[in-house]
Amino acid sequence: MTPHTRCTTDHEKIRTWIENHQGVPAQILGATWARAAGRLRAEFDRGRSGQDLEPLSWRAWFAIFDEHELTFCFPDDEDSTAFRLMPRTPHPPR
């Protein structure tokens, strides 16, 4: 990731960023394991990534994203499609 990385859990910002980079929501084909950060993907090159991906609806993608309490981190670089899904930082007790 670049030094200028932003993170969000906002579904509309995530969807807009992925779609602006000509991506669609996906997951690794047949993935059923619990570690969603390794399972969820966005497919930017429509089958040319070399990975076996299956498309997901945005609703299904975000259901997994929220269920596993992930955050979406992405670069400010307009040309990059590199992003990372990270665990949400727990809020400190008050």
Side-chain angles (χ1 to χ4, degrees), residues 27-40 54 56 64 67-68:
Q27 72 175 351
I28 294 177
L29 187 64
T32 58
W33 63 85
R35 194 173 159 271
R39 156 184 170 189
L40 289 178
E54 62 182 326
L56 289 176
I64 296 166
E67 177 184 348
H68 294 277

Side-chain angles (χ1 to χ4, degrees), residues 39-73:
R39 156 184 170 189
L40 289 178
R41 297 284 191 270
E43 187 171 24
F44 297 104
D45 53 11
R46 302 293 178 150
R48 293 184 296 268
S49 68
Q51 287 187 309
D52 290 328
L53 300 177
E54 62 182 326
L56 289 176
S57 68
W58 279 113
R59 175 182 235 144
W61 198 92
F62 284 122
I64 296 166
F65 178 82
D66 287 335
E67 177 184 348
H68 294 277
E69 297 182 337
L70 298 173
T71 191
F72 182 86
C73 298

Side-chain angles (χ1 to χ4, degrees), residues 7-45:
C7 295
T8 186
T9 59
D10 183 287
H11 291 191
E12 192 56 37
K13 286 181 183 177
I14 295 166
R15 182 179 183 156
T16 298
W17 188 89
I18 290 174
E19 288 179 347
N20 284 346
H21 289 82
Q22 286 71 52
V24 295
Q27 72 175 351
I28 294 177
L29 187 64
T32 58
W33 63 85
R35 194 173 159 271
R39 156 184 170 189
L40 289 178
R41 297 284 191 270
E43 187 171 24
F44 297 104
D45 53 11

